[in-house]
């Protein structure tokens, strides 16, 4: 379905309220099935999933990269509360929406990787 | 932004209905008991005009891009949260009193993110209305009273169970144009120095208490609103005309009971009306911001008290004693611990859905829990260093008396090179901060303001993540791994 490159960027993990490892594994498994290339801790990607264990959001906080992203900080995605068990599925749904937009914009000849609904920083 | 003079002028134009010691006060701005508290708020305007302090005192509005007073700002980053703490420390140092304007700042930040989330979930229009109010607040540089605490009557009963329904602010009527509210808010800091009042519910409301799940703004001199001024220990010294016995002649703080006697609030000023399921998060966020605040303001006042204790030691001739030096070190350690907590909960803050930054709740509650203790210990050590004279000294009138003044001069002198008057001044400042009018802010407000100690312990318990800590211990102890 997609050959997008997605990076999961972790915080340092000093005070996790969610199981970052389990979430990352599940996201990688599902996105790989879609044909995405999933890497870790990189900005060489079409989209970054910032995965922080607590609300401090250290995975993203110290980054000045301007890149489409999904921000997970404790049990929240893009500042809205999400139960821990639903986080992986919700991330994947958001990445799929992003990939779909990319395909549409490539198909329509715009060729831009700007997806309006995704936060960037 | 308003200048300090314009702020004072704007208060004179308000038509506040105020009672103090059984009498109606026609001119609160110039009343000798109230005036020092006005001077404290005025300092929040004066320092914003001063290039030396503008980095902390002002911010750029995310709504208009204009320069505004930081007290009217919604925090747009963790840097903003950190600067808030530094600004509060600065103002504590400059006034040695409660400068009152934080409550409104904390209220707007809480109401912003909560109304945004309410609108997202319920399709209401509260955030839009709130933003319109905020625009005016920023443009006019208003001081806003953050009104949360109800009188609460029987603490064992919910609002709707009280014998008198007015013990919590509630809606009595809903019309096409707005609502009518009744009740009162107690302990209102800076009420008479404010242009507007931002009301919030006092606790988490349940369905049966939906009429009490209320947030709105009202002009401070709105029809049906009146105030009964709170007494402070030694307050009438301000009527004596001298400047030594008051301890801090220029600055102070105040609290008042604010009564809503069937006040009409148009819908455009209503930000919550019956959505009880959002009352808890509003209380938590406001309390969180306000608990953070104390990691700044009390530290600034603490700086003055530590300084005063050190000066008293100099004047007493005891400054070189090792235990005095050690006590000053301990006071500093306690004070800086409070500051460290204030900075930490700010630096660890995060963005909410509205874009406004929220402090780290666990650390903000830890900050305030320490504030319920450390100022008391700092005050104890200051009293130790000061000596008993801080409470047994004769009055300024005795010092000025043509005959007994000489006796006061002679017997209350410490080291020979320091005038007795200076020694009396510094001891009166310590008295003011530990037992006098400023102790309201430095001690009891440290205990109960932004919630009594148990309220923080509940929040700390909720966020302490004990299961994770158990897992860590089990992993180290080798439990469940083989
Ligand atoms: C100087 C000062 C300034 C303030 N400024 C403001 C302000 O500007 N705006 C504002 O809205 N509020 C303000 N407050 C109010 C402050 O938030 C309250 O004082 C605080 O929430 C405690 O409420 P209370 O004073 O009614 O004490 P109480 O609620 O009566 O508490 C007294 C004791 O009883 C315990 N207790 C109370 N209820 C229960 C219960 N149901 N179960 C078990 N234990 C209970 C408490 O833990 C505490 O130990 C200020 C307070 C002070 C002292």
């Amino acid at each position: 379905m997609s050959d997008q490159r997605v990076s999961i960027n972790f915080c340092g993990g000093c005070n996790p309220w969610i199981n970052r490892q389990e979430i990352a594994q599940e996201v990688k498994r599902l996105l790989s099935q879609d044909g995405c290339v999933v890497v870790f801790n990189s900005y060489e990607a079409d989209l970054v999933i910032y995965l922080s264990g607590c609300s401090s959001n250290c995975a993203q906080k110290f980054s000045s990269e301007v890149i489409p992203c999904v921000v997970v900080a404790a049990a929240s995605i893009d500042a809205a509360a999400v139960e821990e068990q639903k986080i992986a599925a919700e991330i994947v749904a958001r990445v799929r929406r992003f990939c779909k937009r990319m395909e549409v914009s490539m198909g329509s000849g715009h060729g831009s990787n700007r997806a309006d609904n995704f936060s960037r920083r | 932004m308003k200048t300090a003079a314009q702020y004072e002028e704007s208060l004179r134009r308000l038509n506040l209905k105020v009672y103090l010691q059984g009498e109606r006060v026609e001119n609160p701005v110039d009343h000798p008991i109230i005036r020092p508290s006005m001077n404290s708020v005025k300092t929040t305007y004066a320092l914003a005009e001063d290039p030396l302090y503008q980095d902390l005192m002002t911010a750029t509005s995310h709504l208009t891009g204009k320069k505004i007073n930081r007290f009217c700002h919604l925090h747009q980053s963790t840097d903003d949260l950190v600067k808030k703490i530094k600004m509060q420390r600065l103002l504590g140092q400059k006034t040695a009193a409660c400068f009152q304007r934080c409550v409104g700042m904390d209220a707007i930040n809480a109401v912003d993110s909560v109304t945004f989330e309410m609108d997202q979930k319920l399709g209401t229009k509260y955030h839009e209305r709130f933003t319109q109010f905020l625009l005016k607040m920023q443009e006019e540089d208003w001081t806003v009273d953050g009104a949360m605490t109800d009188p609460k009557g029987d603490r064992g009963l919910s609002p709707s169970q009280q014998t008198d329904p007015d013990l919590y602010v509630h809606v009595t009527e809903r019309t096409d144009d707005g609502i009518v509210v009744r009740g009162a808010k107690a302990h209102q800091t800076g009420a008479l120095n404010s242009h507007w009042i931002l009301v919030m519910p006092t606790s988490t409301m349940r369905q049966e208490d939906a009429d009490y799940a209320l947030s709105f703004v009202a002009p401070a001199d709105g029809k049906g609103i009146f105030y009964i001024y709170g007494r402070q220990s030694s307050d009438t010294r301000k009527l004596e005309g001298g400047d030594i016995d008051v301890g801090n002649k220029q600055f102070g703080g105040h609290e008042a009971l604010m009564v809503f006697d069937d006040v009409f609030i148009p819908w455009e000023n209503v930000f919550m009306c019956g959505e009880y399921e959002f009352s808890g998060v509003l209380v938590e966020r406001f309390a969180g911001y306000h608990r953070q605040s104390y990691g700044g303001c009390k530290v600034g006042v603490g700086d003055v008290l530590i300084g005063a204790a050190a000066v008293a030691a100099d004047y007493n001739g005891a400054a070189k004693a090792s235990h005095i030096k050690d006590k000053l070190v301990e006071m500093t350690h306690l004070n800086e611990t409070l500051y460290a907590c204030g900075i930490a909960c700010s630096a660890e803050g995060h963005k909410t859905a509205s874009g406004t930054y929220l402090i780290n709740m666990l650390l903000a509650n830890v900050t305030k829990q320490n504030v319920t203790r450390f100022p008391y210990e700092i005050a104890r050590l200051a009293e130790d260093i000061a000596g008993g004279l801080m409470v047994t000294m004769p009055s300024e009138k005795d010092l000025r008396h043509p005959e007994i003044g000489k006796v006061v001069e002679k017997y209350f002198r410490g080291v020979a090179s320091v005038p007795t008057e200076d020694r009396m001044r510094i001891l009166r400042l310590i008295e003011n901060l530990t037992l006098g009018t400023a102790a309201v802010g430095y001690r009891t407000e440290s205990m109960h303001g932004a919630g009594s100690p148990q309220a923080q312990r509940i929040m700390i318990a909720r966020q302490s993540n004990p299961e994770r800590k158990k897992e860590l211990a089990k992993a180290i102890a080798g439990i469940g791994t083989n």
Side-chain angles (χ1 to χ4, degrees), chain B residues 245-317:
Chain B
D245 292 355
V246 284
N248 182 349
K249 186 173 167 58
Q250 211 184 338
F251 300 110
H254 80 236
E255 278 73 34
L257 179 76
M258 172 188 285
V259 182
F260 295 88
D261 190 10
D262 290 333
V263 178
F264 174 74
I265 311 290
W267 281 115
E268 75 230 37
N269 289 342
V270 178
F271 310 140
M272 177 187 284
C273 183
E275 295 82 1
Y276 62 91
E277 67 275 31
F278 282 88
S279 55
V281 67
L282 181 51
V283 173
E284 263 173 33
R285 287 191 192 169
F286 167 76
Y289 282 122
H290 210 43
R291 289 169 193 174
Q292 170 211 23
S293 284
Y294 286 18
C297 66
K298 303 300 175 214
V299 179
V301 178
D303 287 328
V304 177
L305 184 53
I306 295 167
V311 172
D314 289 343
Y315 291 180
N316 289 347

Side-chain angles (χ1 to χ4, degrees), chain A residues 13-17 54-58 61 78-80 121, chain B residues 78 347-353 357 360 462-465 468:
Chain A
C14 69
N15 184 26
W17 281 71
C54 81
S55 63
S56 295
N57 186 23
C58 292
K61 193 182 212 163
D78 295 336
R121 241 192 58 179
Chain B
T78 52
E348 293 277 281
H350 66 276
K351 201 177 187 173
T352 63
Y357 272 66
N360 177 299
R462 231 196 270 167
Q463 296 175 75
S464 64
N465 208 351
R468 152 109 178 123

Side-chain angles (χ1 to χ4, degrees), chain B residues 103 146 148-149 152 155 187-189 255 440 445 448 450-452:
Chain B
V103 209
M148 176 164 277
T149 314
K152 296 184 294 197
R155 271 64 174 159
H187 319 284
Q188 289 311 295
T189 295
E255 278 73 34
V440 172
E445 189 181 353
H448 289 292
S452 310

